[in-house]
Amino acid sequence: MLHFVQPTTWEDVFQDWKRREGSDPGWIHCATILKGWPDWESWRRFTAAQVQADERAWNLFEFTDPMRDIPMMLVGPFAGWQAKLPVPNRQTFADLVRRPEQAVPLHSHERVAGIMKHFPPSTTFFGLKREDTGAIVCLEGHHRATAVALCELAGDEINFGGPVRVALADLGVDEVGLLDQVLARGTTRAVK
């Protein structure tokens, strides 16, 4: 369940994302070396442009029960995450961690394991709320969501250290196909 906090803007959402990731060497390596972009911001702005993030109305919400609500978010349309699931763009983080072949590697993933021990306080995810099902598609926060889902599955509590929020924009019924387009295109820079 979500509690409305306030309206926000895409640029505020993006700047919050940048504060979390923009100077992290691991994410910079991913953007520049693995994905071929000149910098983190170019990569992430491209990712956001694929879902027309800057054209959408954004609102900030607080999860009222993050241990229950976060695992129920849908895994976002990103190849590395969707490859772990049998049906693309339809499954939750709870579904992901319940797959026997995924539970062990995810549990030992360095970033996920660190988050399970020390969840970043006062954190914010962002995603799209599907108007057809009401489900939240996670666009940013996959490692955090996986950590929560693994703890929930094990019956362990997480000390969230403050409110857990999500910035959301609506994804219209006629736009749901956009998720498959994003997955098919990916976020690697096109080579000309």
Side-chain angles (χ1 to χ4, degrees):
M1 177 155 289
L2 299 172
H3 171 72
F4 176 76
V5 176
Q6 65 189 34
T8 189
T9 66
W10 168 246
E11 196 54 37
D12 285 346
V13 172
F14 186 83
Q15 291 306 318
D16 187 49
W17 190 11
K18 187 175 181 177
R19 277 189 294 280
R20 281 191 302 280
E21 282 189 6
S23 61
D24 182 303
W27 288 120
I28 292 169
H29 174 84
C30 184
T32 58
I33 305 302
L34 302 179
K35 299 292 186 173
W37 293 94
D39 52 43
W40 178 91
E41 187 160 339
S42 299
W43 172 47
R44 291 309 204 184
R45 287 210 183 264
F46 174 79
T47 302
Q50 289 188 91
V51 296
Q52 296 105 34
D54 62 339
E55 300 171 20
R56 298 182 185 278
W58 291 87
N59 289 293
L60 191 61
F61 297 87
E62 188 172 316
F63 287 109
T64 57
D65 185 356
M67 284 303 296
R68 183 183 62 82
D69 298 335
I70 291 171
M72 297 313 298
M73 289 193 300
L74 295 173
V75 176
F78 307 110
W81 289 98
Q82 291 295 331
K84 299 174 186 343
L85 295 162
V87 181
N89 291 323
R90 304 281 185 283
Q91 297 192 287
T92 66
F93 288 94
D95 296 329
L96 173 65
V97 302
R98 284 181 171 84
R99 298 188 56 74
E101 70 277 14
Q102 296 302 330
V104 171
L106 288 170
H107 220 292
S108 60
H109 184 281
E110 184 179 346
R111 192 176 295 269
V112 172
I115 293 168
M116 289 171 69
K117 292 177 186 167
H118 305 288
F119 197 84
S122 301
T123 195
T124 303
F125 294 81
F126 79 82
L128 298 173
K129 186 171 183 183
R130 290 180 57 152
E131 289 183 343
D132 60 339
T133 63
I136 295 171
V137 178
C138 185
L139 294 179
E140 195 276 326
H142 284 66
H143 292 96
R144 287 173 285 153
T146 300
V148 174
L150 284 167
C151 286
E152 191 272 334
L153 180 64
D156 298 333
E157 287 293 319
I158 287 182
N159 177 3
F160 290 105
V164 181
R165 294 180 171 173
V166 60
L168 292 175
D170 290 333
L171 182 68
V173 174
D174 60 333
E175 297 180 292
V176 171
L178 187 61
L179 299 173
D180 293 329
Q181 292 172 23
V182 171
L183 179 58
R185 167 57 181 87
T187 63
T188 301
R189 187 176 184 190
V191 178
K192 293 187 178 189

